Amino acid sequence: MTPVRDEALALLNRLGVPPSAFAAGGLPARSPITGEVVGHVRAHTVEEARAAVGRAHEAFTAWRRVPAPRRGEFVRLLGEELRAAKPDLGRLVTLEAGKILSEGLGEVQEMIDICDYAVGLSRQLFGLTIATERPDHRMMETWHPLGVCGVVSAFNFPVAVWSWNAALAFVCGDPVVWKPSEKTPLTALAVGAIVERAAARFGGVPEGLHEVLIGGREIGEALVEDPRVPLVSATGSTAMGRQVAPRLAARFARAILELGGNNAAIVAPSADLDLALRGIAFAAMGTAGQRCTTLRRLFVHESVHDALIPKLRKVWTSVKIGDPREQGVLVGPLIDRAAFDAMERALDEARAAGGVVTGGGRVDLGTDGVYVNPALVEMPAHAGPMLRETFAPILYVVRYAAFEDAVAMQNAVGAGLSSSLFTLDMREAERFVSCEGSDCGIANVNIGPSGAEIGGAFGGEKETGGGREAGSDAWKAYMRRATNTLNYGTALPLAQGVTFDIGD
């Protein structure tokens, strides 16, 4: 198999990333597959970040005047470029984020899908016509471009989350300034090159419509503090969100926050156990447990517990772990050693609380990549480390007797991103998705908590931040609303029966 560094550099060359993006002494870009440094990427200064925001702000004054369907044409061309680049960009995602190849390619497909969605949306940015109590008047609402959209993304979806924001922002009339994770700068540079190709084909794209800023926390802070950035979409930990949200609120900017997700699934007495097994395995072990929608807590009814748990143990001890480029591998590496240390601390705490652990521990593949056995932890109660999110492949299992107790345990954590129920009981399913059921932004039945499609709004409640991205009416966050009243008569009646006669 081609050495990681050689393959990554070849992909970057084919994707059009210029040599000027690299600099001696720059930010090291590592592959979690082997732990080796692929190259050193030139990092931006805070002053350069502010200059980029300035260019984006200037681009806004021109881009907002381009008709929305014409802006959609730019995104259509972007989708075409992504289709052409899918094999290379998907493989680069695998090399830089450690996902298995099908997940890397799937992430790029998600980018293509949101572009298709946004192209259609560009002809549907509609407002309402509203009944008015005044004769010879018309009341309506219009939607206008908002301004520069700052995007701060995380390593686990290094390109898809950008696309959820960028595709919508572009058709809504907003430039995008993107600060990717410092752990995954290479894929961001590749996407930047792809956007440039789409812009060249489109013609007339203002300079600064899309800016990529490589760097650490100080670059993200520059976006959060800049008054020329009315919207920041930030994906990361709840701790990060606690810092970002008040700083944006202090200057009355908007925040789209996609934060932690301590997600749960319930396996009811009537569940199709084979279906549940497949759903649980992918949701808990896919991306090595490093998705915000990863399944971390499992509540199994006591009547099916003894039938399901042995099957789970068998899967957990037989799943293939290794280089994510290899055929048949289902679990690739953790992003770094810090993720492994957090996993070990959580498992130690679980054992101390009476948990019985199957799996866990590091797998030595002869490289500096951090590979682990997924851990299945049977807990005596819903307590201890399972009350918080650990970004690693750990699945905690607890028995339950009453459906109401399972729902209560599921909801009894700070995060509120995603949830699922496996049942063939229609009443249970309806209760789960009702106002008395799951308190999460995503509530699924007979699928796992992962794999939200772009047609629906993605995001969660409580400590997940309340943000929504991708489908449904998430586009409204990228625009400002104006309510308009037009008087086409000769009189000036006032609402609510108010009179104010100043005479002739």
Side-chain angles (χ1 to χ4, degrees):
M1 188 172 291
T2 306
V4 167
R5 185 175 184 276
D6 292 347
E7 184 175 4
L9 292 176
L11 290 171
L12 290 165
N13 182 59
R14 289 205 297 270
L15 289 164
V17 177
S20 59
F22 299 88
L27 179 73
R30 298 179 183 274
S31 171
I33 295 176
T34 59
E36 68 189 283
V37 175
V38 172
H40 290 83
V41 180
R42 192 180 76 81
H44 293 89
T45 65
V46 171
E47 290 73 22
E48 288 175 319
R50 291 175 182 147
V53 171
R55 290 191 296 271
H57 182 69
E58 286 299 313
F60 171 63
T61 62
W63 190 244
R64 66 184 175 183
R65 298 182 66 247
V66 176
R70 179 67 179 152
R71 300 191 298 249
E73 171 64 9
F74 168 61
V75 174
R76 187 188 70 79
L77 294 173
L78 175 58
E80 285 188 357
E81 292 295 333
L82 286 168
R83 282 181 170 85
K86 179 179 174 179
D88 286 344
L89 183 58
R91 198 162 182 91
L92 187 61
V93 169
T94 289
L95 294 179
E96 190 171 40
K99 296 184 175 186
I100 62 174
L101 187 55
S102 68
E103 288 191 83
L105 295 170
E107 182 164 349
V108 181
Q109 185 60 49
E110 195 166 349
M111 302 172 77
I112 296 166
D113 292 345
I114 194 67
C115 285
D116 287 349
Y117 178 88
V119 172
L121 180 65
S122 69
R123 295 182 181 271
Q124 300 182 72
L125 301 174
F126 48 76
L128 301 173
T129 297
I130 305 162
T132 172
E133 65 188 71
R134 290 169 285 188
D136 298 333
H137 282 58
R138 180 163 65 91
M139 186 161 57
M140 64 181 184
E141 65 179 23
T142 52
W143 292 86
H144 302 294
L146 179 65
V148 178
C149 174
V151 177
V152 179
S153 60
F155 78 86
N156 58 331
F157 280 88
V159 290
V161 170
W162 167 85
S163 70
W164 294 352
N165 289 277
L168 268 61
F170 289 149
V171 300
C172 288
D174 303 333
V176 173
V177 180
W178 179 22
K179 188 265 177 209
S181 169
E182 54 267 44
K183 297 178 182 180
T184 51
L186 301 178
T187 43
L189 293 172
V191 169
I194 292 169
V195 174
E196 288 180 9
R197 289 200 289 276
R201 291 177 60 191
F202 180 81
V205 169
E207 180 188 5
L209 184 66
H210 183 247
E211 299 277 350
V212 180
L213 296 175
I214 303 299
R217 175 174 175 170
E218 70 283 356
I219 301 299
E221 289 177 341
L223 289 179
V224 169
E225 298 291 346
D226 199 310
R228 298 168 297 179
V229 183
L231 169 66
V232 174
S233 171
T235 301
S237 68
T238 298
M240 179 271 287
R242 292 189 195 282
Q243 297 182 46
V244 168
R247 294 167 76 170
L248 290 171
R251 62 178 182 86
F252 302 102
R254 299 184 189 179
I256 299 176
L257 298 178
E258 300 289 356
L259 309 176
N262 194 0
N263 313 292
I266 299 169
V267 181
S270 66
D272 179 333
L273 294 187
D274 289 335
L275 178 72
L277 179 65
R278 295 195 300 273
I280 291 165
F282 172 72
M285 293 188 288
T287 324
Q290 297 172 116
R291 286 193 301 263
C292 52
T293 54
T294 290
L295 177 59
R296 308 196 183 282
R297 298 175 298 139
L298 183 66
F299 304 109
V300 183
H301 191 268
E302 56 190 14
S303 65
V304 294
H305 180 276
D306 291 347
L308 178 62
I309 299 306
K311 295 180 179 180
L312 287 176
R313 291 197 199 106
K314 182 178 179 181
V315 171
W316 254 248
T317 54
S318 61
V319 66
K320 188 173 181 181
I321 303 158
D323 188 320
R325 298 173 294 173
E326 292 182 7
Q327 186 72 24
V329 167
L330 296 180
V331 179
L334 294 178
I335 191 65
D336 54 26
R337 177 57 189 258
F340 171 71
D341 291 341
M343 179 178 181
E344 287 289 279
R345 288 193 298 270
L347 292 178
D348 287 344
E349 187 178 344
R351 293 185 185 96
V356 177
V357 178
T358 298
R362 189 164 179 177
V363 177
D364 185 5
L365 297 183
T367 74
D368 290 333
V370 183
Y371 295 84
V372 297
N373 290 302
L376 181 71
V377 185
E378 298 165 64
M379 294 289 288
H382 186 234
M386 67 184 300
L387 299 181
R388 66 176 188 271
E389 180 185 41
T390 300
F391 226 56
I394 303 175
L395 179 63
Y396 301 99
V397 183
V398 173
R399 295 174 185 254
Y400 80 91
F403 181 72
E404 293 79 4
D405 293 339
V407 173
M409 286 189 290
Q410 177 206 274
N411 294 344
V413 294
L417 177 53
S418 192
S419 57
S420 69
L421 167 67
F422 291 92
T423 184
L424 299 180
D425 185 325
M426 183 184 71
R427 289 178 175 174
E428 282 187 334
E430 290 291 344
R431 287 170 66 191
F432 183 72
V433 300
S434 76
C435 62
E436 297 179 314
S438 170
D439 65 359
C440 296
I442 299 169
N444 297 330
V445 176
N446 291 330
I447 64 170
S450 307
E453 296 181 37
I454 56 92
F458 180 88
E461 300 300 322
K462 303 189 298 187
E463 291 181 3
T464 302
R468 292 297 186 276
E469 294 170 334
S472 185
D473 65 349
W475 62 270
K476 294 180 178 180
Y478 305 86
M479 305 195 82
R480 61 178 180 85
R481 183 197 325 237
T483 300
N484 314 123
T485 302
L486 286 72
N487 179 1
Y488 54 90
T490 58
L492 192 64
L494 301 177
Q496 291 86 47
V498 174
T499 59
F500 193 82
D501 188 357
I502 61 173
D504 295 331

